Amino acid sequence: MINLVYDGQKEIKEKEGKFLIATLDKNMYETDSFKEMAAVICGKEYLDCDSAETEMHLRINAAKNIGLWVMTAEEIENGLLDTEEDENAGFEESIIIYDERIGKIPYSYTDPVVDYDIHGDPQLIRVECDETFIYSLEKNRLIAAWEKVDGEYQRFLQTKDLDALIEKELVSFKEAAEKQGRVPLHKKLGE
């Protein structure tokens, strides 16, 4: 069940779900699972996916849209859109899309020179599974997420060790990456 509970201006209905998720457009939804929380971000068609690969592609697409929004907002705030780029200036990424199995996922594969390198110390939007996706978005403050505990909603960011939860979810993905290898063009953290 995904229900809009706040539309950016007023409360629509009483909050009852196990989880609440607030998005960048100032809407808040109630959900009962991480998959439903991911569907709030990725679109309701996410709930109809028949395979983990399709779900991953929808998470990647949603992550790219969020990442591009963040980068554009930063460029506007810093006045970078008004000036010509200095090609000699150091380039640091503020946010990248990342999957433990393959590494950095470029925003575009169609550019003649696809940038697989990791520049600086960027925030990661993780796309391995619903949990890492939601935890990383909350960690980077790109959403706000709450869980109902003993009748009260508690914000993930304030009550959970998000890094530890992400690492716990990554165990099976790290094992799979070691066994199967990965796409050699993608760069992983620390390479």
Side-chain angles (χ1 to χ4, degrees):
M1 148 210 70
I2 298 174
N3 292 316
L4 179 67
V5 294
Y6 183 77
D7 70 358
Q9 297 177 0
K10 65 181 188 295
E11 190 169 314
I12 303 297
K13 71 176 283 305
E14 186 71 26
K15 301 171 193 82
E16 301 171 300
K18 180 177 180 179
F19 299 105
L20 295 175
I21 181 170
T23 55
L24 293 172
D25 61 4
K26 299 181 182 167
N27 290 334
M28 182 184 288
Y29 301 84
E30 64 180 357
T31 71
D32 288 324
S33 68
F34 275 87
K35 183 166 184 158
E36 289 177 351
M37 290 173 77
V40 167
I41 305 299
C42 299
K44 289 198 178 190
E45 64 274 7
Y46 188 80
L47 296 173
D48 298 327
C49 291
D50 292 332
S51 72
E53 184 175 358
T54 303
E55 290 174 352
M56 185 185 79
H57 286 291
L58 288 174
R59 286 192 302 270
I60 289 170
N61 186 52
K64 285 180 179 183
N65 288 333
I66 292 169
L68 290 170
W69 182 88
V70 168
M71 287 187 291
T72 301
E74 287 174 353
E75 288 178 1
I76 290 170
E77 184 176 309
N78 295 326
L80 298 176
L81 294 179
D82 301 330
T83 62
E84 292 185 29
E85 287 186 37
D86 180 1
E87 291 182 22
N88 298 322
F91 174 66
E92 289 200 14
E93 297 170 296
S94 60
I95 195 160
I96 64 171
I97 311 333
Y98 195 80
D99 186 297
E100 191 63 36
R101 295 162 289 192
I102 60 174
K104 175 185 173 183
I105 298 169
Y107 283 89
S108 172
Y109 287 105
T110 59
D111 191 311
V113 180
V114 178
D115 185 6
Y116 293 99
D117 293 323
I118 298 171
H119 309 280
D121 186 25
Q123 296 175 325
L124 306 179
I125 299 178
R126 292 189 161 277
V127 294
E128 297 89 359
C129 64
D130 297 334
E131 288 80 3
T132 61
F133 184 58
I134 295 299
Y135 290 146
S136 67
L137 289 172
E138 169 72 345
K139 180 182 171 186
N140 295 317
R141 298 176 184 257
L142 299 171
I143 62 166
W146 295 264
E147 181 176 16
K148 194 174 197 176
V149 178
D150 298 327
E152 296 290 323
Y153 286 102
Q154 298 178 357
R155 176 97 187 254
F156 285 14
L157 198 60
Q158 297 167 340
T159 60
K160 297 181 182 291
D161 182 345
L162 296 175
D163 289 323
L165 290 169
I166 289 169
E167 283 303 315
K168 181 181 174 188
E169 293 296 329
L170 290 177
V171 169
S172 63
F173 294 102
K174 288 179 179 182
E175 289 171 359
E178 287 177 19
K179 288 180 185 174
Q180 300 171 349
R182 62 181 177 82
V183 179
L185 293 175
H186 292 69
K187 297 286 177 143
K188 291 187 78 175
L189 293 173
E191 285 187 346

